[in-house]
Amino acid sequence: MNAQSRFGKDAPMDRTRRTLVAICSAAVLSALWAPAVPAGPAEFTRYQERELNNGAVTLPVAAGVEYRSATSALAGGNRDEAKRHLQNALALRPRYADAHFTLARVYARELNPEAVYHVVQGFVVTATTFDAQRAFAINALATFALVLIAASAIVWIALAVRYFPFIAHSVAESFRTRFNAAGARVTAFLAILAPFALLPGFATAAGVVMIAAWPFMQRRERVMSFTLTASFALFAWFAPALDRYSTVADPNSLVSLVARANDSSADESLARALSTVSADGLEAERQAALGLLATRAGATDNAAAHFLRSISIRPGESIAYVNLGNVYYLNGQYDKALEGYRKAEQVDSTDAVAQYNLAQAYIKTLLMSESSRALSRASQFGVNAVVESMAKPARARMPIYPRAFSNGELWRIARVEGEKRNPGLLASTLANVTGQSARVSFWIAAASLALVLVLRGAAKRKSLAFQCSNCGELACNKCCEDARGSVICQACSDVVAGVSSDKVVEALLRQRRQSVVVRRRRSMRWVTLWLPGLRHIFFGRFVSGFFIAALFSFSALMLWTRGYPVPDWNSLPSGTPLWKWILPGVGVAISYWKALTARQRYEVRNTRSGFSRSRPADAGDHAASA
């Protein structure tokens, strides 16, 4: 079907399209670089008139120009002019969250209580519009995945730095005693890192660290590391399922085109895109959207044909019946319009637009009592919210209202389309960041969780570790000594070997402790500069370290992406608000400040499991070093 047959031979599409492109281009560029309205008030008014004549429900481009003029007026200190432009923007596009929030800011400076109303409306609009819902959903999932991976990576690096030298020491001792191996420590590191070398990726690295360090971890380290791995495994498992809805992030998908058709004026290019896009299982929805565009173009015969095809495919939906009734109403065929509205009422008795339009058809056929009842039901089912979502100049021209696709219907279209054509946004993001596919990552993480559960009950006594009660270093059974009433490592034992005086022993151990603490701090300082939270985890403050790492990851991501890892392609180009720079910057600064200024303490713990005898420890040697 060509464009002329869709819209009728009298549709002024080419002329309108050329004028629209010229005016919109001038409008956007002028709004970006100059404080004045683009092509002059007269031309701007003519553009709005053309859009309204072509059936536009809202005027987002014109509203964007008014918003830009308002921000320019604010920059120049003219609040009254800014308020006028913002109110004009809301009249042209009532569901414009940025305009509500900016107007709230202007009123707040004047201590006007209207500021509260516009703040609430801004959040309501953000929560109830499909564009805002899909932008929030996609960005929330992408942000969660990236922050989880980044914060977890800091955790695994900290645990590797904390435990791998000791693990390599234990493995090397085993190699020396069993195989008399040369270069045992290097061999031990190669053995530990072999799985990652064979299957490199985030999931493998996390699994290697967790499995290798599990027998020596403290209880809260085990709980948190298990939780992090389980969370990653669940996300990797459900990522392909969540991707069924990721068609909402594709501007060329059917759901995106249908969402545009909801409010768009008669647009030949949009109709052509709708006609060519794949619509497997969603042909009824495509025909209904094409009917909406044809109705706005004035091609009522073609519009009726689209709606009738939609009804023949899916007779259980009210949208085609309501809009078919609208076609008959606009042609003066009020009895046939009543038939369409009544059929829509049978399908969905709570359809507010169907009830309102039914009331108007009753008025035309002089059925006043029926009209009153239909108007009452329309008000009960929320027709006022539908009307208020339209531009004021558009609703003033409408004797009846078009039945657009609701948010729920658009999400259903996204799900059905995603089952047939899954773009894999989350899964591909996960694969690019982690180096492994979502399914491979899940099975690696799941295998790691299963192995550590087995290790929980299979750890042997000789594999267990002690933390030196003097310096805090880990030591194995063969390298620790408890002859002096406390568990100390071999290095501390060598310092006091042959010394009998308790005071001298105490002084030597204190000196050893201070030197180890200073060396440990110096060795960790360069890493802390790049990865906030790592020092906390290394020194045993696992929970606070993870939250600092998460704050740093989230703030850095927001600073890098300016709040939108997946940008909204429907929004006009705009400058980033100052708060989107300040708040993430403050988060990054706080995470670095906490990492650099926190006094790191170590807590001496015997990490033997409960079934084995604990070595005694001297309480006097358990003081944490500053």
Side-chain angles (χ1 to χ4, degrees):
M1 182 182 297
N2 57 33
Q4 186 175 359
S5 64
R6 282 198 302 272
F7 291 96
K9 60 182 180 180
D10 296 328
M13 280 291 112
D14 292 336
R15 184 182 68 240
T16 301
R17 184 182 180 187
R18 287 194 298 270
T19 307
L20 173 64
V21 170
I23 295 175
C24 291
S25 299
V28 173
L29 291 175
S30 178
L32 284 172
W33 303 110
V37 176
E43 186 63 27
F44 190 61
T45 301
R46 284 195 293 271
Y47 157 69
Q48 295 184 53
E49 190 68 20
R50 291 190 194 96
E51 284 290 282
L52 294 171
N53 288 336
N54 285 334
V57 179
T58 62
L59 300 169
V61 173
V65 173
E66 292 283 0
Y67 180 76
R68 286 315 188 89
S69 299
T71 56
S72 297
L74 280 177
N78 193 335
R79 294 184 187 175
D80 292 335
E81 184 180 354
K83 284 191 289 186
R84 180 176 63 82
H85 284 299
L86 289 170
Q87 289 164 353
N88 290 341
L90 290 174
L92 298 172
R93 184 186 178 188
R95 293 184 176 181
Y96 196 174
D98 288 345
H100 276 295
F101 287 129
T102 305
L103 194 55
R105 187 178 65 184
V106 174
Y107 280 129
R109 291 178 180 177
E110 300 173 352
L111 301 180
N112 190 324
E114 286 289 322
V116 178
Y117 167 79
H118 285 287
V119 167
V120 172
Q121 284 299 109
F123 283 111
V124 169
V125 167
T126 302
T128 57
T129 59
F130 177 71
D131 285 340
Q133 287 178 353
R134 64 178 173 178
F136 175 79
I138 290 296
N139 281 282
L141 289 172
T143 300
F144 172 80
L146 295 174
V147 171
L148 175 65
I149 292 171
S152 300
I154 294 176
V155 170
W156 302 127
I157 291 172
L159 292 177
V161 173
R162 177 179 172 88
Y163 288 109
F164 268 27
F166 169 74
I167 296 170
H169 164 76
S170 300
V171 175
E173 289 297 318
S174 177
F175 285 171
R176 287 192 186 97
T177 56
R178 293 187 178 185
F179 309 110
N180 195 22
R185 190 172 179 83
V186 176
T187 306
F189 270 109
L190 292 176
I192 295 171
L193 299 177
F196 177 75
L198 294 174
L199 191 61
F202 173 82
T204 307
V208 167
V209 174
M210 186 171 65
I211 293 171
W214 183 266
F216 318 113
M217 287 184 187
Q218 300 170 5
R219 178 175 296 178
R220 59 187 172 186
E221 291 177 338
R222 290 182 176 181
V223 171
M224 289 295 291
S225 60
F226 190 92
T227 302
L228 286 177
T229 306
S231 300
F232 175 77
L234 289 174
F235 187 84
W237 176 260
F238 286 108
L242 294 172
D243 270 333
R244 294 178 183 175
Y245 294 93
S246 62
T247 52
V248 299
D250 180 4
N252 297 315
S253 65
L254 177 65
V255 64
S256 296
L257 297 175
V258 170
R260 285 175 54 194
N262 262 352
D263 300 327
S264 171
S265 60
D267 187 340
E268 181 184 353
S269 62
L270 177 57
R272 186 164 52 250
L274 274 167
S275 299
T276 56
V277 71
S278 175
D280 191 7
L282 295 167
E283 185 61 32
E285 287 76 5
R286 169 162 57 188
Q287 293 297 326
L290 286 170
L292 281 171
L293 295 176
T295 302
R296 292 164 187 165
T300 54
D301 291 341
N302 288 288
H306 285 302
F307 292 132
L308 288 171
R309 279 196 288 273
S310 177
I311 290 170
S312 66
I313 298 170
R314 193 183 296 275
E317 299 291 336
S318 65
I319 182 171
Y321 290 111
V322 176
N323 289 306
L324 180 62
N326 290 352
V327 171
Y328 293 136
Y329 185 99
L330 295 173
N331 285 339
Q333 300 172 288
Y334 301 119
D335 290 332
K336 296 186 71 173
L338 277 175
E339 294 179 12
Y341 298 144
R342 285 169 176 166
K343 186 61 178 179
E345 184 181 31
Q346 294 175 9
V347 173
D348 183 4
S349 61
T350 64
D351 192 318
V353 174
Q355 293 295 328
Y356 179 85
N357 293 352
L358 179 61
Q360 305 308 309
Y362 278 138
I363 292 175
K364 292 295 185 180
T365 54
L366 303 179
L367 299 173
M368 298 305 177
S369 59
E370 288 85 349
S371 174
S372 178
R373 287 194 294 269
L375 281 174
S376 177
R377 289 194 294 269
S379 179
Q380 177 185 352
F381 298 139
V383 72
N384 291 334
V386 176
V387 175
E388 290 172 359
S389 68
M390 302 177 182
K392 284 185 178 180
R395 74 179 78 149
R397 295 166 176 251
M398 296 180 181
I400 51 176
Y401 299 125
R403 167 64 162 83
F405 289 87
S406 67
N407 291 350
E409 289 168 336
L410 291 172
W411 281 110
R412 180 183 61 79
I413 293 173
R415 177 180 56 80
V416 175
E417 185 179 18
E419 291 174 352
K420 306 293 184 179
R421 186 180 66 87
N422 191 330
L425 176 65
L426 294 176
S428 61
T429 300
L430 199 65
N432 291 333
V433 173
T434 63
Q436 292 155 339
S437 68
R439 283 289 181 251
V440 171
S441 295
F442 166 77
W443 287 115
I444 293 174
S448 302
L449 294 172
L451 282 174
V452 297
L453 290 177
V454 173
L455 288 175
R456 181 183 178 185
K460 297 181 180 180
R461 180 172 178 173
K462 62 182 179 181
S463 300
L464 298 173
F466 291 95
Q467 191 172 21
C468 178
S469 60
N470 181 58
C471 67
E473 295 288 342
L474 290 176
C476 62
N477 282 354
K478 297 179 181 179
C479 299
C480 63
E481 188 262 334
D482 59 356
R484 296 179 180 274
S486 60
V487 180
I488 59 177
C489 64
Q490 186 63 49
C492 290
S493 178
D494 292 341
V495 167
V496 297
V499 179
S500 58
S501 172
D502 291 340
K503 291 185 177 181
V504 175
V505 168
E506 182 180 352
L508 291 173
L509 290 177
R510 184 184 303 112
Q511 183 180 9
R512 157 73 180 169
R513 178 169 63 247
Q514 291 173 349
S515 64
V516 169
V517 169
V518 170
R519 186 180 70 250
R520 186 188 297 126
R521 286 180 175 177
R522 287 177 178 174
S523 64
M524 293 300 296
R525 187 170 299 165
W526 68 274
V527 179
T528 304
L529 293 175
W530 299 101
L531 298 175
L534 194 148
R535 179 187 289 185
H536 287 71
I537 299 169
F538 178 84
F539 284 96
R541 300 171 64 179
F542 199 94
V543 177
S544 59
F546 172 75
F547 281 110
I548 291 173
L551 174 63
F552 169 73
S553 302
F554 176 77
S555 301
L557 178 65
M558 292 299 101
L559 196 61
W560 180 37
T561 62
R562 301 187 183 112
Y564 294 100
V566 183
D568 182 8
W569 61 89
N570 287 320
S571 62
L572 291 173
S574 61
T576 303
L578 188 60
W579 67 268
K580 288 188 177 181
W581 292 102
I582 293 176
L583 291 183
V586 169
V588 171
I590 290 175
S591 60
Y592 273 115
W593 174 72
K594 290 294 294 181
L596 293 172
T597 62
R599 297 182 63 191
Q600 303 302 329
R601 302 170 181 269
Y602 70 87
E603 300 177 14
V604 179
R605 286 183 176 83
N606 185 330
T607 57
R608 281 183 180 271
S609 56
F611 61 80
S612 62
R613 178 180 62 84
S614 297
R615 295 184 181 228
D618 185 359
D621 289 330
H622 285 189
S625 64

